[in-house]
Amino acid sequence: MEMNRVLVLQKTLDGEITVAYAASILGISERHAYRLKAKLKTLGPAGLAHGNRGRKPAHALSDVLCQKVVQLAQTKYRGCNYTFLSELLREHEGICLSPASVGRILKAAGILSPRKHRPHKPHCRRPRKPQLGMLVQIDGSHHDWLEGRGPSLVLLLAIDDATGRILSALFWPAEDFEGYCRLLYQLITKHGIPLAIYSDRHTLFFSPKEKLEHLTLEEQLLGEKRSLTQIGRILRDLGIQHIPAYSPQAKGRIERSFETLQQRLVIELRLAGASSLEEANAVLPGFIERYNEKFAVPPAETVSAFRPIPSHLRLEYIFSWKEYRTLNPGYTIHFLGNTYKVLNPKGAPFIPLRSVVEVIKPLDGALCVAWQGNIYGLKVFPENAKSNLENNRPAMAQEKSAGLTPSIPRRPAANHPWRNPWKPRRPNYTTSLTESQMCFT
């Protein structure tokens, strides 16, 4: 381009063409053509170059700043994408750079963004729910959150479908019943009872035994169509609809949230120096507040669908492990390999023997038994109680007559008539000679 200018303007100096014709050929104004002709005449071809060529722009970033950004991206903030690194530099280092500038500096140093931009796949997206609390998605993410500084943790998360807000989050050693139980308890006590829960088909949520013959009598009387897990029973007691997801794409909002958290939360945990379960959970409240301010969207309707907790519900008994047991003679039950004696509180009715009781194991409480709306305490039955039972029969009979303890059935002896067969014995026919026959022989 500049060589063409030199050739055309040189012809104007030689008088071969006019300046107006040269301006039309070069696509510039006639005034600018006279200016270039004068520079070529006085300075030669070098005069046609721009005056700022080879000079660093006044607004360009300094080399020291670029080197510092590259160093921080490789050490303290390693693994960040360009946008998140720009936010961290502004917040912690006082370096105000746009994500485009950060990307330009790192690309020049050969550092590419860890986030891979895959080609867009067309699919039918499900519209968001219109109200906050209409649908809550829950799931767990197995990831090296502490980057080897501590134990392996799982992030349990509950987000709102309408807004994308993180409603509750919890780090836990494994994806188990207690972890999800604490997550749901945190969600309900903080926001209320949602209308529906959306989860995958993990066996914690949906039992593989879906046939009718696997249902207990209590579940059949309640009209259940499939066997409930402990989490499913909690959701049923709270009146929450449980919706299964048949693919990760179906609950894509929480999956995309995990992708963002695996990029941002890992850095936050590293900057906080978290190396244990307690320290990791301490970082979550502040991070969730910043996350919701940046990524949450307003709902289509301002009215919340979260329901208040009814006053008659006792959450400590709902969020617990429950199983059914039969009350044995001696007022005892067997649970988790131990024998427990049921303690009858004052004013509570006696439980008839062979009754089916509900054993309740709270997360943070003592083991107890429920029967017809009454709560009974439990005491571990000693190992030698069976041998002492025979020695204490007279005292227990006296207590029985006074109505203080339930009766204990007496076991019949080995030679008791009740143990004899009811059919008469058949005679023993033999072929040997009788005594009279032997005398005549």
Side-chain angles (χ1 to χ4, degrees), residues 279-290:
E279 294 175 353
N281 282 322
V283 177
L284 284 177
F287 175 81
I288 291 174
E289 183 178 355
R290 295 190 297 271

Side-chain angles (χ1 to χ4, degrees), residues 138 156-158 168-170 179-187:
I138 62 174
L156 305 179
L157 194 66
S168 62
L170 176 71
Y180 276 109
C181 197
R182 294 183 182 275
L183 179 74
L184 292 173
Y185 184 84
Q186 182 185 115
L187 167 67

